[in-house]
């Protein structure tokens, strides 16, 4: 596997590499291809699962990705790292979500299943342009679950207080990404660059949300999107324009990557 890259560039998807319609703008796809031609390895770093990133991979040609908020790392056909939540913990989160009136989606690298559906849940999946998963509240007994998403209009703190062994990221108005407490996009980056023997190359990272903070703080060159939350902007070295206003292209140009 090639490892003579000049550096690695990590892109969050929602609110970052993707536009408001959860698609990649032509200008962004062109910029990523130019980035590769210039000798850099572009990497998707997202809370989405591998089966939810086709809109980004098909247009950009990116074949290396950190998904499920760092719980699943893959380059081409090689799985570099996977970390699963214990089945009993998944069960407990589902039971707690039911008490709160929320739903849970369980994500493996190849499948996703809901604990239960509702009009609220259907509206959430439509908003992020992802097909509604099938219903199987017992999937955690049958398959690996590196991440669950609590579909809720509430905050993440009420879950965090009850499950200190997990990490809950409020990644949107109605989504709470959940992984084991030591898993993050930062840990995913560490596993990737070690697996590809790229430790001596600079790391660049683009992000906008709560779950991007660990990698923004870790990267050598960190870029917050203009539409990002304040904590990401405060932590970043450089703030580019919004994702719908040339943010990726401008950020890459700022660091002379394209």
């Amino acid at each position: 596997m090639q490892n003579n890259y000049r550096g690695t560039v990590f892109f969050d998807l929602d609110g970052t590499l993707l536009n408001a319609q959860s698609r990649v703008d032509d200008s962004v796809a062109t910029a990523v291809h130019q980035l590769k031609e210039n000798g850099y390895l572009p990497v998707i770093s997202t809370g989405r699962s591998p089966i939810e990133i086709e809109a980004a991979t098909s247009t950009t040609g990116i074949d290396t990705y950190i998904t499920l908020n760092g719980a699943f790392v893959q380059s081409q056909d090689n799985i570099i790292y996977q970390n699963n939540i214990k089945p009993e913990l998944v069960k407990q989160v589902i039971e707690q979500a039911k008490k709160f009136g929320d739903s849970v989606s369980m994500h493996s690298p190849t499948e996703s299943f809901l604990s239960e559906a509702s009009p609220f849940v259907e509206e959430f999946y439509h908003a992020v342009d992802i097909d509604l998963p099938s219903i199987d509240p017992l999937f955690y007994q049958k398959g690996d679950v590196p991440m669950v998403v609590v579909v809720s209009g509430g905050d993440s703190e009420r879950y965090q207080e009850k499950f200190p062994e997990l990490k809950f990221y409020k990644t949107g108005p109605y989504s709470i990404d959940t992984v084991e407490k030591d898993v993050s996009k930062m840990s995913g980056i560490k596993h990737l660059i070690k697996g590809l023997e790229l430790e001596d190359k600079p790391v660049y990272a683009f992000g906008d949300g709560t779950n991007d903070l660990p990698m923004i703080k870790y990267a050598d060159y960190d870029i917050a999107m203009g539409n990002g939350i304040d904590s990401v902007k405060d932590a970043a070295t450089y703030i580019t324009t919004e994702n719908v206003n040339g943010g990726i292209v401008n950020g890459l140009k700022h660091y002379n990557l394209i």
Side-chain angles (χ1 to χ4, degrees):
M1 184 178 294
Q2 180 183 350
N3 67 350
N4 60 341
Y5 297 101
R6 298 171 63 186
T8 51
V9 186
F10 295 86
F11 298 100
D12 171 52
L13 287 185
D14 296 280
T16 303
L17 198 70
L18 302 179
N19 61 22
Q21 290 74 45
S22 295
R23 294 286 186 266
V24 177
D25 289 331
D26 291 342
S27 59
V28 172
T30 298
V32 172
H33 284 288
Q34 183 63 56
L35 181 70
K36 292 173 68 176
E37 291 176 11
N38 289 349
Y40 293 89
L41 175 66
V43 183
I44 288 171
S45 183
T46 180
R48 293 189 181 219
S49 74
I51 58 175
E52 298 171 344
I53 64 175
E54 195 274 337
T57 57
S58 62
T59 54
T60 62
I62 295 176
D63 59 9
T64 300
Y65 39 84
I66 294 165
T67 52
L68 302 172
N69 282 303
F72 187 77
V73 180
Q74 183 168 349
S75 182
Q76 298 177 11
D77 294 325
N78 299 308
I79 297 173
I80 294 174
Y81 175 77
Q82 180 173 341
N83 185 91
N84 302 318
I85 303 174
K86 296 176 180 63
E88 182 60 30
L89 264 179
V90 177
K91 177 184 178 182
Q92 291 172 14
V93 171
I94 292 173
E95 291 173 347
Q96 187 60 60
K98 192 172 185 66
K99 293 177 182 177
F100 285 148
D102 298 332
S103 296
V104 172
S105 59
M106 295 161 276
H107 296 269
S108 82
T110 58
E111 301 175 284
S112 297
F113 292 94
L114 279 165
S115 61
E116 58 184 308
S118 68
F120 177 77
V121 172
E122 293 173 4
E123 182 179 340
F124 162 70
Y125 275 91
H126 177 73
V128 294
D129 196 32
I130 296 175
D131 293 336
L132 186 73
S134 300
I135 309 300
D136 185 353
L138 299 179
F139 173 69
Y140 64 87
Q141 296 179 352
K142 312 163 192 174
D144 294 339
V145 181
M147 186 182 84
V148 302
V149 176
V150 180
V151 184
S152 170
D155 62 44
S156 61
E157 291 307 314
R158 54 184 180 162
Y159 286 96
Q160 192 65 73
E161 291 171 358
K162 293 182 178 297
F163 301 100
E165 58 271 78
L166 298 173
K167 179 63 179 177
F168 294 83
Y169 295 104
K170 184 74 172 179
T171 55
Y174 309 114
S175 57
I176 304 172
D177 292 4
T178 308
V179 290
E180 290 204 336
K181 66 177 182 179
D182 294 327
V183 172
S184 68
K185 291 186 178 184
M186 177 185 71
S187 67
I189 290 175
K190 289 181 177 180
H191 287 294
L192 180 70
I193 62 177
K194 180 179 180 180
L196 299 184
E197 299 180 353
L198 295 170
E199 294 100 327
D200 61 336
K201 305 297 173 63
V203 170
Y204 301 79
F206 287 77
D208 73 305
T210 304
N211 59 336
D212 296 318
L213 265 173
M215 75 169 181
I216 288 292
K217 293 178 179 179
Y218 174 76
D220 300 303
Y221 303 95
D222 38 279
I223 303 99
M225 305 303 292
N227 50 285
I229 61 175
D230 288 343
S231 57
V232 172
K233 291 179 180 179
D234 291 342
T237 304
Y238 177 70
I239 302 173
T240 187
T241 50
E242 297 83 0
N243 64 315
V244 296
N245 189 28
I248 294 295
V249 174
N250 291 335
L252 292 173
K253 287 181 175 179
H254 176 79
Y255 284 109
N256 297 313
L257 301 178
I258 60 172

